[in-house]
Amino acid sequence: MRTARLLMRHEARLFASLALWVVRRTHGARGGQVFGYARGQGAMMFGLGFVCLVETVAMSVLLRDWPTAHAVLLFLDVYGIVFVAALHASSVVRPHVLDPDDGSLRIRRHVHVDLRVPLERIASVRRELRMTHERADGELDVEVGSQTTVTLELAQPVTHVTFFGRRRQVRVVRFHADDADGLVRALGRARV
């Protein structure tokens, strides 16, 4: 039952992101400096949406003689297209946020990852392009398009809560930002 609630909450947050995208608003960026990461996956999401659209048309043609199957699959296909659009929208409206007044960097990806890192816990920050990521204890890789561009090493660990609520302590955080150089410079200024 708990898993079903989590999945329903996930869907609701995705569709709320779609609504925010339509009205051109961001989520949780009050007064902070935003750094996007959606460009790194834009082409892939567009391609996935296009493939879903082609599949919808093809299945409509193939199932035109079976109205019940046609209606069910049409609903599922349209839902899939809307889901892909909402997933991309969640990347656009939930950017990384550097808030020096709050003293934190908020690292996000879709509605799955939302990690607040206090600026005083950051030991070092560097621009580092990585294309491969192996799982390791105490490390969090927030990849976009299978790559990360910024690496944070922390003096003290922060708690990352996974999608299903598991807590883990992380000391190294790697994530993608479209303007990685700008983010590293802004972090350097904010930490001073």
Side-chain angles (χ1 to χ4, degrees):
M1 204 59 180
R2 180 177 175 270
T3 302
R5 275 196 315 267
L6 284 171
L7 291 173
M8 287 172 45
R9 188 179 112 202
H10 177 262
E11 299 282 316
R13 291 171 73 194
L14 277 177
F15 292 119
S17 296
L18 188 59
L20 286 172
W21 192 38
V22 168
V23 296
R24 299 190 180 274
R25 302 247 159 116
T26 57
H27 174 270
R30 296 172 227 102
Q33 187 175 359
V34 298
F35 294 92
Y37 55 88
R39 262 189 280 152
Q41 68 181 17
M44 181 185 68
M45 296 303 280
F46 178 76
L48 183 59
F50 180 74
V51 167
C52 288
L53 181 65
V54 169
E55 190 238 356
T56 300
V57 172
M59 292 307 291
S60 288
V61 170
L62 291 173
L63 295 174
R64 68 181 172 264
D65 295 333
W66 294 283
T68 304
H70 178 265
V72 169
L73 261 121
L74 182 63
F75 172 79
L76 291 174
D77 284 341
V78 170
Y79 181 80
I81 292 169
V82 173
F83 185 85
V84 169
L87 196 59
H88 180 67
S90 69
S91 294
V92 174
V93 304
R94 295 173 185 269
H96 305 307
V97 180
L98 173 60
D99 192 351
D101 296 334
D102 184 35
S104 69
L105 171 66
R106 194 170 179 186
I107 300 168
R108 304 198 284 185
R109 177 153 193 257
H110 301 301
V111 296
H112 309 108
V113 177
D114 193 348
L115 177 70
R116 287 184 190 269
V117 178
L119 296 180
E120 69 269 3
R121 291 193 186 184
I122 298 174
S124 70
V125 58
R126 66 182 176 276
R127 179 163 184 353
E128 178 183 37
L129 177 62
R130 280 192 167 210
M131 304 297 263
T132 58
H133 302 86
E134 293 180 22
R135 287 185 162 257
D137 284 339
E139 295 183 2
L140 175 65
D141 296 317
V142 186
E143 307 166 21
V144 173
S146 296
Q147 70 179 7
T148 58
T149 54
V150 178
T151 300
L152 292 179
E153 292 183 16
L154 306 177
Q156 296 175 334
V158 294
T159 303
H160 167 61
V161 180
T162 66
F163 181 78
F164 289 110
R166 198 178 99 229
R167 296 179 173 278
R168 51 186 285 241
Q169 299 293 314
V170 293
R171 283 189 163 275
V172 176
V173 181
R174 293 183 192 92
F175 61 99
H176 177 77
D178 292 335
D179 181 17
D181 292 324
L183 176 59
V184 169
R185 282 193 304 271
L187 262 174
R189 287 190 303 268
R191 289 175 53 218
V192 173

